[in-house]
Amino acid sequence: MKKVLKMLGLLALVPCCLFANGSAESSQSGAKTGQKITLDWTFWASEKELDLFCRPAIAEFEKENPNIHINLIFIQNTDYFKQLAVDIAANNEADIITLDTGDGLSAYYNIRKGGSFLPLENYLKGYVLDDGTKLEDVDLIDSVKKDGHVVALPWFTFAAPVTIYRKSLLQEAGVDSAELSKSWDSYYKACKKLTQDKNGDGKTDVYGFSHQTEGSVLLRWWTMHWLWENGGGIFPKEEGPYTADRLIWNSPENVAACEYLKKMITECGPSGKYTVNDALNMFANGSVATMQATTWCFANLKAMMDENSYNNDIGLAYFPNNGEKTPVNVTWGNPLAISTNCKHPDEAFKFIAFMHGKYAQSLQTNVPVNREARMEYAKKNPYQAKTLDMVLEGELRQVPDIVQWRELDNIVNKSCEDAFLGTKSVKDALDWGQKEMQAVMSR
């Protein structure tokens, strides 16, 4: 265990390594004709999501491939990537691993010498599923490349952010939804007007705005768009070279954006520490009028709201402009990778390929990367489809995919939590973050 912990501590120091060789022709699968094999697959989805699209897809795959059993292993999302790092460092990860293209693919790939994930381009070349799907043509394929090699299949996609609002609450308060997108100032004024004590008991009944304040997992996802649109970020435009001297975490642009968010949270939002899911619950019960959302939020809201409210009382607005700057948005995926320690890579690839076919993709509650399945998905999931269309109109940006990213991400979340909860002043919180990031990048 000491060796594992030491490896995790040195995660940011591991240099880029050569990719392990893997192909349909040369892989050492080890599976004999008629042999029953089991492939472990790790994922963090909720039980509802597992029941909706993972387990039915597995059942169909196993029906078509009776010699292959898929053992689905659930790991809670708050612990998933920490556990994945431990498992890879100990050579104990699952055969098939769910990843996140906006969450430091390099960090996990480079834990093990030779690479943690199997290159797939030789498998992909000319690969066509029974339904006619060409795997080389699925969306986001470029997002899973390392040094020109495809190391995963995208599976499904997300897009963020849009502003969602409760139509009835805006109507009651006399707020035009156009004010939510016009400018940061107009959004602030609208949220102030929406924040109300309706029954006169001295307590706020409806908040105009909510934004995660708890410093874990999703806080960075909900914050970076504001920094980017104000000209800030972690590195300038998140482009290299990624060196300590180019960090801009405590820049005036970031400080101003975080000051704005703190004002919105303090004057227009619930107090205390809460997560995005807490905010979604408040939006669902009508105690929050507006918040930023991504495509995955709508499945949560559908489960939280009555059918009429979900279908008729949710509106979508563009992320608010800041002056003449174009909104900076993000798309990302949850790709499936095959461990380089997998003893049956041919069968593992057969499964992840199947998960990109029209049948498995049609089960998705998230946006499919299979384009035919996406057309059908859009008819059944108009909010998600509209969100993707709106997001694609703006500039797209990602956080830097560098081996140090997990450490930087933890610093970002802690720094933002201190700023938004008032544990430190915004400037002090970002100064602390800058110093910590510089230390990480200088090792």
Side-chain angles (χ1 to χ4, degrees):
M1 179 56 72
K2 288 182 179 178
K3 183 179 179 182
V4 172
L5 294 174
K6 184 177 180 181
M7 289 180 75
L8 292 176
L10 294 174
L11 179 60
L13 297 175
V14 182
C16 289
C17 304
L18 294 175
F19 281 73
N21 291 322
S23 73
E25 292 81 14
S26 63
S27 65
Q28 300 299 311
S29 176
K32 299 176 182 178
T33 303
Q35 177 187 359
K36 182 84 171 182
I37 67 169
T38 295
L39 296 170
D40 290 335
W41 171 29
T42 50
F43 192 29
W44 60 82
S46 67
E47 276 297 312
K48 184 169 184 179
E49 288 175 313
L50 295 178
D51 285 339
L52 284 172
F53 63 84
C54 291
R55 293 185 177 117
I58 288 172
E60 182 64 23
F61 176 79
E62 291 180 345
K63 181 180 176 182
E64 295 179 11
N65 301 273
N67 65 314
I68 306 173
H69 171 61
I70 305 298
N71 179 37
L72 182 57
I73 300 171
F74 168 78
I75 302 174
Q76 192 169 345
N77 66 344
T78 53
D79 303 320
Y80 184 88
F81 286 100
K82 185 186 296 183
Q83 185 63 48
L84 177 60
V86 172
D87 288 347
I88 293 174
N91 287 307
N92 194 41
E93 74 275 12
D95 300 287
I96 299 165
I97 302 154
T98 313
L99 295 167
D100 198 328
T101 53
D103 225 4
L105 187 64
S106 287
Y108 302 98
Y109 179 80
N110 286 287
I111 293 176
R112 184 161 57 238
K113 185 178 181 180
S116 303
F117 315 127
L118 196 70
L120 302 177
E121 55 267 15
N122 288 336
Y123 282 106
L124 287 170
K125 191 174 181 180
Y127 196 102
V128 181
L129 294 173
D130 292 341
D131 61 15
T133 300
K134 295 180 180 179
L135 288 184
E136 292 172 293
D137 292 340
V138 297
D139 290 345
L140 291 180
I141 200 74
D142 289 337
S143 71
V144 287
K145 286 184 177 178
K146 296 303 302 173
D147 297 338
H149 296 270
V150 176
V151 297
L153 284 180
W155 194 19
F156 53 82
T157 186
F158 300 103
V162 293
T163 299
I164 55 173
Y165 60 91
R166 295 296 295 263
K167 295 177 182 178
S168 58
L169 293 177
L170 265 67
Q171 186 175 11
E172 289 173 14
V175 173
D176 185 345
S177 62
E179 298 302 306
L180 306 181
S181 301
K182 189 181 299 181
S183 69
W184 285 16
D185 184 56
S186 69
Y187 187 41
Y188 165 72
K189 289 176 180 177
C191 289
K192 283 286 285 184
K193 193 172 181 179
L194 287 162
T195 303
Q196 297 181 27
D197 170 15
K198 287 190 165 187
N199 58 14
D201 65 355
K203 298 178 181 179
T204 301
D205 301 303
V206 176
Y207 295 96
F209 176 78
S210 64
H211 180 92
Q212 176 167 323
T213 56
E214 197 256 349
S216 65
V217 188
L218 294 174
L219 181 55
R220 178 257 303 175
W221 287 100
W222 255 250
T223 303
M224 289 306 302
H225 311 284
W226 300 93
L227 309 187
W228 286 332
E229 188 155 338
N230 205 44
I234 298 167
F235 295 93
K237 295 187 177 180
E238 309 307 354
E239 295 174 352
Y242 300 113
T243 54
D245 61 296
R246 298 190 73 248
L247 285 160
I248 58 169
W249 183 245
N250 65 345
S251 63
E253 291 81 6
N254 281 357
V255 171
C258 287
E259 289 281 13
Y260 173 85
L261 283 172
K262 183 179 180 182
K263 179 176 72 170
M264 292 283 283
I265 292 165
T266 303
E267 298 182 19
C268 309
S271 61
K273 190 182 293 189
Y274 56 93
T275 67
V276 166
N277 276 323
D278 295 330
L280 287 169
N281 266 301
M282 290 183 279
F283 181 88
N285 67 31
S287 58
V288 161
T290 84
M291 63 179 288
Q292 277 64 57
T294 177
T295 45
W296 66 258
C297 292
F298 295 102
N300 296 48
L301 289 172
K302 190 171 186 178
M304 295 171 180
M305 301 172 73
D306 64 81
E307 186 175 359
N308 180 62
S309 295
Y310 178 79
N311 289 330
N312 301 307
D313 199 32
I314 297 178
L316 274 65
Y318 288 95
F319 186 72
N321 289 324
N322 188 20
E324 298 300 318
K325 296 176 182 175
T326 301
V328 181
N329 304 321
V330 62
T331 59
W332 74 102
N334 284 159
L336 299 178
I338 300 172
S339 164
T340 47
N341 285 336
C342 178
K343 294 180 181 178
H344 305 287
D346 291 352
E347 290 79 4
F349 181 79
K350 193 172 188 178
F351 174 69
I352 66 172
F354 174 85
M355 296 301 283
H356 289 70
K358 191 172 181 181
Y359 172 77
Q361 291 272 295
S362 68
L363 300 172
Q364 280 286 357
T365 58
N366 301 303
V367 182
V369 292
N370 179 306
R371 292 165 192 174
E372 285 193 30
R374 182 178 291 180
M375 289 189 289
E376 294 301 315
Y377 173 90
K379 296 174 185 177
K380 300 174 184 176
N381 301 276
Y383 292 134
Q384 291 93 323
K386 185 177 179 182
T387 294
L388 178 63
D389 290 343
M390 292 168 69
V391 163
L392 291 176
E393 292 181 37
E395 177 189 343
L396 297 179
R397 193 177 300 178
Q398 277 280 10
V399 294
D401 184 21
I402 53 178
V403 295
Q404 302 95 331
W405 174 246
R406 293 306 299 176
E407 291 181 272
L408 296 192
D409 196 17
N410 290 334
I411 294 166
V412 167
N413 287 327
K414 173 61 177 169
S415 184
C416 288
E417 179 183 287
D418 286 343
F420 299 153
L421 292 178
T423 307
K424 293 183 173 80
S425 70
V426 169
K427 182 68 166 60
D428 287 346
L430 271 60
D431 281 345
W432 171 85
Q434 177 83 1
K435 184 178 179 181
E436 292 295 310
M437 289 185 192
Q438 286 175 333
V440 169
M441 298 303 299
S442 298
R443 290 176 188 164

